C-alpha cells in the first residue's frame, strides 16, 4: 500500500469510489426520513404474527404478518392515521404514538431509537470536518489494538484507517477501500467470509443504521444505488430495512495462512465523530490469539499515511 506520507503505525485511507458521482436530492431530508420511517415500520409489521399479539391467525389470511388496521387497533390510534405514518405523510406524529406502535411491533431498544431519530425526537448527529492530525490519531488508535485487527469505517462504509493485522486478514486493498464493496462486489469475499450470508446481512443493517441520519447526502444515495445495481444480494438486503448497532457480533474469517478464525466484533461509535465507527476484532479462543500474535510479529511494519479528505 502506497501513499505520500512518512511511515506510520497504522494505515490511514481516504474516501472514494464509484459512489463519488453526485446527484441532486429530489426531496427534502425530512421527507426522506419520514419515508424511511414508514418503510421500516411496514417491514417490521410483516414480521409480527397475529398470534404474537393475541389475535387469531390462520384461516383465509393472505398475510403472515399484521394488517395495518390491526396495528392501529392495538396501538390505540386510527387506522387512517397509522396508514399515513407508513406512507411517510404523518409529519407531526407524536413520540407517544410511536412508542405505542413500537410496543405492538415488538421493537427492541435499538429499533426504538432508530424510529425516534427518524421522526426527529432524538438529537441529530452532524458529521464533523476532520481536524488536522485526525488521520494519524486514527492510525495510533487502531495500532493500539495490535496484534488484533482493528479499523475505522465511516458512514459510507469506507475503511479510513486499519492496522496491519486487519489489512492482511480482511484482504484490504488499494488506497480507497470500501467494506461494502469488498463484501458484495469482490468475488473472493465468500471465501474470506465463511459465514457470508450472515456477515452481509449484519453489514447492511449496520450501514442503514449509521447512514440514516445523513439521508439526502448525494454520495450516500449514489453509493446505495450503485450497490443495488451491481449486487442483487445487497439490493435484497437493503429492501428488508433491518438495522443493527453493531455493538457485539461473532465474525468468522478464513485466511490462507491462518485458516479459519472466530472473532468477536465490537463496533464503537465516537461521540465527537458522528458516522465514524471503530471496529475491534477480538479472538474468541486463546489459541487464536496466540496465532494472531505470532502472525502480526512476522507481518510488514511500515505503511504510509494517505490523506483523508474532509
Amino acid at each position: 500500500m502506497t501513499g505520500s506520507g512518512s511511515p506510520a503505525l497504522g494505515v490511514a485511507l481516504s474516501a472514494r469510489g464509484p459512489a463519488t458521482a453526485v446527484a441532486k436530492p429530489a426531496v427534502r431530508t425530512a421527507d426522506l426520513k419520514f419515508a424511511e420511517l414508514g418503510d421500516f415500520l411496514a417491514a417490521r409489521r410483516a414480521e409480527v404474527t397475529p398470534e404474537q399479539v393475541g389475535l387469531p391467525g390462520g384461516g383465509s389470511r393472505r398475510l403472515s404478518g399484521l394488517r395495518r388496521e390491526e396495528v392501529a387497533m392495538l396501538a390505540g390510534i386510527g387506522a387512517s392515521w397509522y396508514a399515513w405514518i407508513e406512507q411517510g405523510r404523518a409529519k407531526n406524529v407524536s413520540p407517544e404514538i410511536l412508542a405505542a406502535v413500537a410496543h405492538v411491533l415488538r421493537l427492541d431498544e435499538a429499533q426504538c431509537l432508530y424510529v425516534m431519530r427518524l421522526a426527529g425526537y432524538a438529537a441529530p448527529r452532524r458529521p464533523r470536518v476532520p481536524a488536522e492530525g485526525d488521520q494519524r490519531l486514527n492510525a495510533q488508535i487502531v495500532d493500539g489494538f495490535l496484534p488484533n485487527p482493528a479499523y475505522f469505517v465511516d458512514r459510507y462504509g469506507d475503511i479510513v484507517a486499519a492496522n496491519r493485522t486487519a489489512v492482511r486478514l480482511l484482504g484490504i486493498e488499494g488506497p480507497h477501500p470500501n467494506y461494502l464493496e469488498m463484501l458484495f462486489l469482490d468475488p473472493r469475499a465468500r471465501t474470506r467470509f465463511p459465514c457470508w450470508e450472515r456477515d452481509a446481512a449484519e453489514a447492511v443493517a449496520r450501514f442503514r443504521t449509521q447512514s440514516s441520519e445523513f439521508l439526502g447526502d448525494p454520495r450516500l444515495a449514489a453509493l446505495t444505488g450503485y450497490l443495488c445495481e451491481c449486487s442483487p444480494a445487497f439490493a435484497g438486503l437493503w429492501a428488508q430495512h433491518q438495522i443493527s448497532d453493531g455493538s457485539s457480533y461473532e465474525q468468522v474469517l478464513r485466511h490462507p495462512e491462518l485458516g479459519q478464525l472466530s472473532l468477536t466484533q465490537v463496533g464503537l461509535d465516537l461521540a465527537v465523530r458522528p458516522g465514524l465507527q471503530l471496529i475491534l476484532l477480538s479472538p474468541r479462543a486463546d489459541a487464536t490469539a496466540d496465532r494472531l500474535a505470532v502472525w502480526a510479529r512476522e507481518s510488514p511494519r511500515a505503511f504510509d499515511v494517505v490523506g483523508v479528505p474532509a
Side-chain angles (χ1 to χ4, degrees):
M1 189 171 299
T2 61
S4 58
S6 57
L9 296 175
V11 188
L13 304 161
S14 60
R16 65 74 76 97
T20 53
V22 298
K24 285 187 177 181
V27 292
R28 296 183 309 154
T29 299
D31 293 332
L32 290 172
K33 288 188 175 183
F34 279 105
E36 168 61 17
L37 171 62
D39 290 341
F40 178 77
L41 293 177
R44 302 291 75 76
R45 173 169 61 85
E47 297 172 344
V48 181
T49 65
E51 292 83 358
Q52 287 177 306
V53 294
L55 296 176
S60 59
R61 290 183 69 99
R62 295 182 180 180
L63 296 175
S64 58
L66 296 177
R67 300 185 179 98
R68 281 180 176 174
E69 56 268 26
E70 291 172 332
V71 175
M73 176 191 67
L74 292 169
I77 61 176
S80 295
W81 182 237
Y82 180 72
W84 276 39
I85 296 173
E86 283 201 2
Q87 293 165 4
R89 299 164 64 192
K91 305 301 172 62
N92 59 342
V93 59
S94 71
E96 291 78 16
I97 287 178
L98 289 174
V101 171
H103 178 72
V104 173
L105 298 182
R106 306 164 71 89
L107 302 187
D108 62 25
E109 183 177 354
Q111 291 170 328
C112 287
L113 178 59
Y114 185 71
V115 164
M116 292 299 179
R117 183 166 284 138
L118 287 172
Y121 293 115
R125 302 183 302 168
R126 303 299 182 197
R128 180 179 67 82
V129 176
E132 184 178 352
D134 274 4
Q135 61 186 37
R136 183 165 291 277
L137 176 61
N138 290 345
Q140 291 173 337
I141 290 172
V142 293
D143 267 357
F145 202 61
L146 285 170
N148 297 328
Y151 59 95
F152 278 102
V153 63
D154 68 12
R155 64 186 182 275
Y156 304 111
D158 290 334
I159 300 174
V160 297
N163 66 21
R164 61 182 182 273
T165 306
V167 169
R168 295 182 69 196
L169 192 58
L170 276 77
I172 300 172
E173 298 176 344
H176 312 295
N178 180 281
Y179 185 79
L180 294 167
E181 291 182 19
M182 285 171 47
L183 200 57
F184 287 95
L185 304 183
D186 188 338
R188 299 166 295 180
R190 291 178 184 263
T191 299
R192 187 174 294 126
F193 300 90
C195 303
W196 185 89
E197 287 80 6
R198 188 187 63 180
D199 291 342
E202 169 67 17
V204 173
R206 193 169 68 244
F207 175 57
R208 181 179 289 279
T209 307
Q210 289 294 102
S211 64
S212 64
E213 294 175 78
F214 309 104
L215 296 178
D217 180 323
R219 187 184 171 220
L220 186 63
L223 172 63
T224 305
Y226 170 74
L227 289 169
C228 284
E229 180 181 354
C230 296
S231 171
F234 178 89
L237 289 168
W238 188 248
Q240 293 178 17
H241 293 269
Q242 297 287 354
I243 67 161
S244 170
D245 59 8
S247 56
S248 183
Y249 170 76
E250 180 184 0
Q251 183 159 55
V252 179
L253 297 171
R254 182 183 294 128
H255 190 274
E257 296 178 22
L258 293 176
Q260 190 157 300
L261 305 174
S262 180
L263 306 135
T264 296
Q265 175 182 290
V266 176
L268 303 176
D269 290 320
L270 304 184
V272 296
R273 293 289 300 276
L276 189 66
Q277 194 170 52
L278 174 62
I279 307 297
L280 305 176
L281 295 167
S282 301
R284 296 174 65 87
D286 291 341
T288 301
D290 293 340
R291 287 155 64 195
L292 277 178
V294 172
W295 193 60
R297 287 197 297 270
E298 296 172 348
S299 66
R301 301 191 63 86
F303 292 96
D304 288 336
V305 173
V306 179
V308 182

